[in-house]
């Protein structure tokens, strides 16, 4: 009689049946079992069906991403049903995405080294020097958030290829530039291409891998991001000295062609989770305009100062448009950035750490490049070689961090990394008035590198942990916006603190002062990370550590 209830047996009441199924409490009054089951099921359906959020609901806030806030006790139970089975995939996709991203990261510092040669060849004015760098940062930082959202609404492979093609084509135009105007415009186009490429690449990685593979992929992504900043100085010096300044742009063309060909072969098409008709156009326009004005204001401080009418006016425009963006996002049914995104502790805290550490590192490299050439008399290629130990230390630190991810949480890694960076900055701050490279600069570079390597690994893993596929582009866009805005703000702030950067005496005086500020900022950031970043396991990205 298997499968049938014995008609002569005792009849169960409805509450007893539910209790046997584990859906009510002991008293049958629904002490949590049934309603927790119901709510988990409802959250699961919402997360899977809504994707980018149906009107009146925020799928980010429900279920999956509530696990980022460790103050929500029921979060782990609410998300474990949604854990993805880990399927091992080949690393080819990661290799292609890293090839493209490394090209983008390198380009920032490569061009800085080649800038004197470019300016001499194209007869730059002082403003042209600044805008060759600022045009890239302006478009990249201003469009990253928008580019990230597009990655969630459009075919990810198609958007990656569009961004890659724009970046490579703009690089070709930059290499063939015959005037300052042509160079500035093409650099802006490179920045726009990077803003489309980067979030699409990270989104592809997020959807291609799961579990330990995803954590490893994000760790390698962080390693490339940190190593590329320092390695760009080396490559820039070698390419400029050996082949001329045009080579720093020409080299992007074959890399772009190879990456595009491999992407077509390895990345599946049709990876979209939304509809472009759901794009929040008013939100997009106000966000892009506000971020463009913000980056413009920050970049303008280097030539106009912080209190000039131009700078204050640009900051005012940024406040108005970003304020309008915030107001719009609370009213539209399908927001560009759903309001619940701002409650994801891990994403926001990690993006904040990303902004500050990037500002410190990029600003320090910018100042150190001037210091090595002006104070120590190094040529462009020697300066590049002098940055090689920094790049090597970053790589070693990041590699060790990747191996420790299973035992050490990203939060602990961040805090320790920041304190190591602070120690390295303090060593550079103690430099005397007659410095040498081996005795005064190299030890600080090595210590900073060992601290920076784990930092970018931990930030990438912490920021993207638990992000669902349909929001991965937006999340990566938000994190990388912090990277770009932080870089611009760091260079502007440290330049203002340094004062005179045109003379040897000015740089000798400025170097210790700037690195004292960097050391203090890193300690303060370590305290922030210890308080704000939630504890979470690197490999179990759905579940915070209790």
């Amino acid at each position: 009689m298997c499968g049938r209830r014995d008609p002569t047996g005792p009849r169960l009441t409805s509450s007893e049946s539910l209790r046997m199924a584990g859906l009510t409490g002991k008293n049958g009054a629904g002490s949590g079992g049934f309603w927790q089951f119901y709510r988990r099921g409802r959250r699961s359906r919402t997360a899977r069906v809504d994707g980018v959020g149906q009107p009146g609901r925020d799928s980010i806030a429900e279920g999956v991403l509530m696990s980022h806030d460790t103050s929500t006790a029921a979060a782990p139970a609410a998300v474990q049903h949604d854990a993805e089975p880990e399927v091992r995939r080949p690393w080819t996709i990661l290799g292609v995405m890293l090839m493209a991203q490394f090209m983008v990261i390198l380009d920032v510092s490569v061009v800085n080294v080649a800038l004197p040669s470019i300016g001499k060849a194209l007869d730059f004015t002082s403003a042209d020097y600044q805008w060759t760098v600022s045009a890239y940062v302006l478009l990249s930082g201003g469009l990253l958030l928008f580019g990230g959202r597009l990655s969630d609404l459009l075919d990810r492979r198609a958007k990656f290829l569009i961004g890659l093609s724009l970046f490579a084509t703009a690089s070709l135009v930059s290499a063939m530039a015959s005037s300052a105007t042509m160079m500035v415009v093409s650099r802006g186009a490179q920045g726009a291409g990077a803003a489309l490429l980067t979030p699409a690449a990270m989104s592809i990685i997020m959807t291609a891998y799961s579990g330990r593979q995803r954590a490893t992929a994000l760790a390698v992504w962080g390693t490339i991001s940190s190593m590329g900043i320092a390695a760009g100085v080396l490559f820039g010096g070698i390419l400029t000295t050996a082949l001329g300044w045009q080579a720093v742009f020409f080299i992007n063309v074959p890399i772009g062609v190879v990456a595009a060909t491999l992407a077509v072969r390895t990345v599946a098409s049709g990876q979209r989770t939304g509809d472009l008709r759901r794009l929040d156009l008013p939100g997009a326009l106000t966000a892009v305009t506000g971020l463009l004005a913000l980056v413009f204001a920050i970049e303008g401080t280097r030539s106009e100062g912080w209190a000039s009418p131009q700078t204050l006016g640009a900051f005012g425009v940024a406040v108005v448009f970003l304020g309008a963006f915030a107001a719009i996002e609370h009213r539209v049914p399908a927001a560009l950035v759903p309001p619940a995104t701002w409650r994801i502790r891990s994403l926001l805290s990690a993006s904040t750490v990303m902004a500050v550490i990037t500002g410190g590192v990029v600003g320090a490299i910018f100042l150190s490049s001037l210091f090595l050439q002006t104070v120590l008399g190094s040529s462009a290629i020697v300066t590049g070689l002098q940055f090689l130990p920094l790049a090597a230390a970053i790589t070693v630190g990041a590699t060790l961090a990747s191996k420790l991810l299973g035992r050490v949480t990203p939060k602990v890694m961040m805090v320790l990394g920041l304190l190591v960076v602070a120690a390295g900055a303090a060593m550079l701050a103690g430099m005397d008035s007659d410095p040498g490279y081996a005795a005064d600069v190299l030890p600080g570079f090595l210590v900073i590198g060992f601290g920076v390597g784990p930092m970018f690994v931990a930030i990438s893993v912490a920021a993207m942990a638990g992000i669902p596929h349909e929001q991965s582009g937006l999340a990566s866009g938000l994190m990388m916006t912090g990277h770009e805005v932080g870089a611009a703000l760091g260079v502007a702030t440290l330049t203002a603190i340094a004062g005179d950067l045109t003379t040897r005496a000015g740089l000798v005086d400025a170097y210790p002062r700037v690195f004292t500020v960097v050391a203090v900022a890193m300690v303060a950031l370590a305290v922030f990370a210890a308080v704000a970043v939630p504890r979470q396991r690197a490999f179990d990205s759905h579940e915070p550590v209790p």
Side-chain angles (χ1 to χ4, degrees), residues 87-165:
V87 178
R88 297 285 302 179
R89 298 183 186 279
W91 293 111
T92 316
I93 295 175
L94 175 63
V96 176
M97 298 302 108
L98 290 178
M99 181 190 302
Q101 180 63 10
F102 192 60
M103 175 183 68
V104 171
I105 293 293
L106 275 179
D107 195 74
V108 178
S109 47
V110 160
V111 172
N112 284 339
V113 175
L115 205 53
S117 300
I118 297 171
K120 190 178 295 184
L122 300 183
D123 196 22
F124 274 8
T125 65
S126 296
D128 294 333
Y129 278 105
Q130 178 180 340
W131 280 108
T132 299
V133 176
S134 297
Y136 180 94
V137 176
L138 184 67
L139 271 295
S140 177
L143 295 175
L144 263 168
L145 191 62
F146 179 62
R149 191 69 180 109
L150 286 180
S151 296
D152 296 328
L153 298 177
L154 299 175
D155 180 280
R156 292 189 174 99
R157 189 183 76 174
K159 184 174 166 295
F160 171 79
L161 292 173
I162 291 170
L164 182 61
S165 300

Side-chain angles (χ1 to χ4, degrees), residues 22-39:
L23 301 181
T24 70
K26 234 178 190 179
N27 301 324
S31 61
F34 172 78
W35 293 110
Q36 285 177 9
F37 178 86
Y38 171 78
R39 284 196 295 268

Side-chain angles (χ1 to χ4, degrees), residues 108 111-112 115-116 118-119 124-138 180 183-185 187-188 294-305 308 310-311 366 488 491-492 495:
V108 178
V111 172
N112 284 339
L115 205 53
I118 297 171
F124 274 8
T125 65
S126 296
D128 294 333
Y129 278 105
Q130 178 180 340
W131 280 108
T132 299
V133 176
S134 297
Y136 180 94
V137 176
L138 184 67
M183 175 62 71
V184 171
V185 171
R187 287 287 288 159
L294 177 62
V295 179
F296 178 84
I298 294 170
E299 285 290 294
T301 60
R302 296 167 64 182
S303 58
E304 302 295 327
S308 69
Q310 174 184 302
T311 301
F366 170 76
V491 172
T495 300

